[in-house]
Structure formats: structure tokens, C-alpha cells
Amino acid sequence: ENIAFARVGSDDPGRGICLTMDDEGSSELATQYLLDLGHRHIGFITGGEHYSLSARRTEGWRRTMAAAGIDPIPYLQAGNFGYESGLTAARNLLDGPKPITAILASSGQMALACMHVAEERGLKVPEQLSVISFDNAPVVHFTQPQLTAIDQAIAPTIASAVDHIIAATRGEARPKQAVHLPAKLVIRGSTAAPRQIGSG
């Protein structure tokens, strides 16, 4: 019927107007921030494998680590966006062969789990472990310290989708490639330079 519609969060080939909140670029932004602080051992907890955005977030982190000359494989743990998976992943990272000094978690719930694991192990945040959440949900304000978080442009993305749909119904050209709306990093108390900087 040639009805205009938007696919938010997808840049896969297909019909519709594709818009993303630049998950890959957001992950790069957060990882580079940690690298600039002096971290080298940066763990990453993925989201659910059935979501394409999970792969994009992982790729952004992986590429930024590799560009800094760091093999990312030892620092990767699977999660599913849920709290329990975050507990398991954080414990695995801290028990691994590398001395993890920072963790980027693909959801707010998993970031909260990282904070819990740090507390149970007597690690001070951010002095001994920095944590970044991929969600800037209200809960990040209630941790101690408050979580540094990636703030994705949810409202602007939806507004852009509506604008593109309206434009398409007027006969204007539809975007041929996915529209990426950049995120920003909101820096709070859960990140700091590592107490001891390990070698790569």
C-alpha cells in the first residue's frame, strides 16, 4: 500500500525508514572515555544475543579496544540485559585472568549488578572499579555513587521518525540509509582514573 513507516533501532536492510540511537558510536564514546582516564582492562557485558543492537554495542567497544592496541577477547562476557546475568558476568570478569579496572554494561540492570558485585567483594567504586551503564534511566541516580551513563537520544529519535514519516506522506524522498542520532555520555561518580594502571 506504500504506507510510510519507521523501524527504530534497526539499520538492517529492508523496507521502512531506519533510525538508530547509534549504539555502536555510543559504545565507542564510553570506551574511549575510559581509555582516556587511563584504563586498559575494560570489561564489557553484552546484551541479549537476539537483539541486533547488542552486536552493534559490542562491536563499538571491540573496535575501540583494538584501536588502542588491546586484545578485547579476555574482557568480554555475555549478558541478556537482566540483573542476574549482570551478576554472573561481573563475577566472571573479576575472576578472570586480567585485572579488570572498569566495566561497561549494556543495560542499567547489569550496571547495578556490577555495583552489587563490587560491594560484595569490597571493591570501592570508582577508586578500584569504574562502572558505566548503557541506560540513563532514573535508577542511575539512586546508586552510591551515581552511575556514569550513556544517554541515548530516545525522544529525538522518535520525533525524527515522525518527521520522516510525515515528509514521506507528502511525497518527499525517504532516507536511503539509516539515520543515526548520536548519544552523549553523562559523567557521574562511578568513573575515575584507575588506582593502578596495568600494562596492556
Side-chain angles (χ1 to χ4, degrees):
E1 299 296 331
N2 201 33
I3 298 173
F5 67 94
R7 292 191 286 131
V8 177
S10 173
D11 60 0
D12 297 329
R15 295 179 178 272
I17 301 163
C18 298
L19 301 98
T20 80
M21 289 171 279
D22 197 12
D23 291 283
E24 197 167 323
S26 299
S27 194
E28 291 175 352
L29 176 67
T31 306
Q32 189 61 54
Y33 168 69
L34 290 169
L35 288 167
D36 291 343
L37 284 177
H39 292 277
R40 300 282 290 173
H41 305 291
I42 303 169
F44 185 83
I45 305 176
T46 71
E49 62 180 8
H50 300 298
Y51 296 90
S52 60
L53 63 83
S54 295
R56 292 196 296 271
R57 292 178 181 183
T58 302
E59 180 56 28
W61 163 81
R62 189 194 307 272
R63 187 167 57 225
T64 308
M65 292 283 280
I70 304 168
D71 177 10
I73 298 302
Y75 305 102
L76 181 64
Q77 281 291 319
N80 62 15
F81 295 122
Y83 185 83
E84 292 297 327
S85 74
L87 291 176
T88 300
R91 289 167 182 154
N92 288 341
L93 284 169
L94 294 173
D95 289 337
K98 298 291 187 178
I100 299 295
T101 62
I103 299 176
L104 172 57
S106 291
S107 75
Q109 287 297 314
M110 295 195 300
L112 290 176
C114 292
M115 300 284 278
H116 176 90
V117 171
E119 182 178 7
E120 75 180 14
R121 298 193 175 201
L123 297 175
K124 294 183 178 180
V125 176
E127 293 88 349
Q128 293 171 290
L129 182 69
S130 288
V131 180
I132 296 181
S133 168
F134 223 102
D135 297 330
N136 194 30
V139 69
V140 302
H141 298 282
F142 299 103
T143 60
Q144 189 56 248
Q146 292 184 353
L147 276 163
T148 294
I150 296 169
D151 188 7
Q152 292 189 302
I154 297 174
T157 299
I158 301 304
S160 179
V162 173
D163 287 342
H164 281 293
I165 290 172
I166 292 172
T169 61
R170 293 173 177 167
E172 298 177 23
R174 304 179 188 187
K176 294 182 179 180
Q177 296 180 330
V179 178
H180 301 287
L181 280 81
K184 62 182 179 180
L185 185 65
V186 181
I187 300 170
R188 301 190 180 95
S190 68
T191 49
R195 179 176 290 179
Q196 292 183 341
I197 303 175
S199 60

